[in-house]
Amino acid sequence: MSPSRWLPSLLLTAALPLLAHAEGPAYGPELQGFEYPYTVKHFAFQSQGKSLQMGYMDVAAHGKANGRSVVLMHGKNFCGATWDSSIKALSEAGYRVIAPDQIGFCTSSKPDNYQYSFQQLATNTQQLLKALGIQKATLLGHSTGGMLATRYALQYPEQVEQLALVNPIGLEDWKALGVPYRTVDQWYERELKVSADSIREYERSTYYAGHWKPEFDRWVDMLAGLSKGPGKTQVAWNSALIYDMIFTQPVYYEFKDLKVPTLLLIGTSDTTAIGKDIAPPAVKAKIGHYEVLGKQVAGLIPQSTLIEFPGLGHAPQMEEPAKFHQALLGWLSKYNPVRG
């Protein structure tokens, strides 16, 4: 039985010592040893017959509070910690900011057997927000977090004020476009071989159009350290299940059903597409073009606004934080909730 079964609902996480490793840091299965920019708390809850815990940061408004909350949803190769500059910018602008790590990721539980779906992750997050007393919030989802934020807004439209998507994946249905299916077992074998070098090269070529900034290395070490720590097989198996969820559960067909004001923040040099590495050349050539996908999906979403960042890649909030946050905060400020 996992020790997390006895953790109370809002327990501060205990930072375990960094595990020494000749080729860089190694972290515990819930990222023990990696430093987060703000205090990490844990929300304990039951799901699928398991006692789980979701790590999250809850950062109060710095200065004059505007009474609004923003929930940040991280990507597949990211964590709540990678939102550090966005948390600071939003907090300074008066927002309460909640940045959870989803189950299967980062500081949260890696269950042995879990049926992953975007609906389940949305339900988990909704339970967290309810426990925190948040009845309505703005969602900001990046990468895979964009798929999750979309699903959450479809599932709980009355609880969402605004929806902002940063280079979300799932702007196309890769399987319908001819990308071959990779089994969970194949994903697992692939994830067991992950290294800092392979992560860096993938992100450099796919996320950032061949460019790299030294500050990105911290996030590479975060992922690589999680993948080679004592929970390596646990981390790899959960990662494989999550990739299968991403590939087989598109939100693309439901963008037209979104009922909330939606902002697309798109770095146009991004070429991310799940399974592109095993796709036939003709298929590979036609997927992952964000300079086209952003415009196409903006046309599908009823109340959409598109802001493009020419020359930036998969994470404009990390590449050019000042430019990104100016655009985001300008759009968020246009919403004036009517409060009783």
Side-chain angles (χ1 to χ4, degrees), residues 50-178:
K50 303 176 188 300
S51 295
L52 304 176
Q53 59 173 0
M54 184 187 299
Y56 69 96
M57 293 174 284
D58 183 357
V59 182
H62 180 73
K64 186 177 180 181
N66 61 18
R68 298 174 61 193
S69 299
V70 179
V71 179
L72 308 182
M73 297 182 170
H74 61 78
K76 171 65 179 69
N77 293 322
F78 300 82
C79 292
T82 56
W83 284 115
D84 57 349
S85 65
S86 296
I87 295 172
K88 183 175 185 292
L90 287 161
S91 174
E92 289 179 348
Y95 295 89
R96 178 184 180 181
V97 185
I98 313 298
D101 285 332
Q102 296 298 326
I103 293 301
F105 294 86
C106 313
T107 64
S108 294
S109 298
K110 315 289 184 309
D112 293 333
N113 295 290
Y114 200 65
Q115 181 64 50
Y116 279 100
S117 70
F118 286 113
Q119 285 89 341
Q120 179 67 71
L121 297 184
T123 300
N124 297 347
T125 306
Q126 195 268 349
Q127 289 182 42
L128 168 64
L129 298 184
K130 184 178 179 181
L132 295 176
I134 298 173
Q135 298 178 346
K136 202 163 188 177
T138 288
L139 306 183
L140 177 60
H142 171 232
S143 191
T144 298
M147 292 183 78
L148 174 56
T150 300
R151 177 58 60 203
Y152 191 108
L154 290 164
Q155 199 163 322
Y156 304 107
E158 71 287 349
Q159 297 177 27
V160 179
E161 293 179 337
Q162 294 168 290
L163 174 64
L165 307 175
V166 187
N167 281 73
I169 60 172
L171 298 182
E172 55 193 340
D173 181 355
W174 308 290
K175 58 184 173 51
L177 293 170

Side-chain angles (χ1 to χ4, degrees), residues 150-206:
T150 300
R151 177 58 60 203
Y152 191 108
L154 290 164
Q155 199 163 322
Y156 304 107
E158 71 287 349
Q159 297 177 27
V160 179
E161 293 179 337
Q162 294 168 290
L163 174 64
L165 307 175
V166 187
N167 281 73
I169 60 172
L171 298 182
E172 55 193 340
D173 181 355
W174 308 290
K175 58 184 173 51
L177 293 170
V179 175
Y181 177 69
R182 187 184 252 138
T183 67
V184 171
D185 292 317
Q186 289 170 328
W187 277 117
Y188 176 62
E189 291 302 319
R190 180 180 182 268
E191 291 302 283
L192 285 174
K193 299 172 184 175
V194 160
S195 67
D197 287 342
S198 68
I199 293 169
R200 185 179 296 105
E201 183 49 39
Y202 168 75
E203 294 189 358
R204 185 204 310 271
S205 61
T206 302

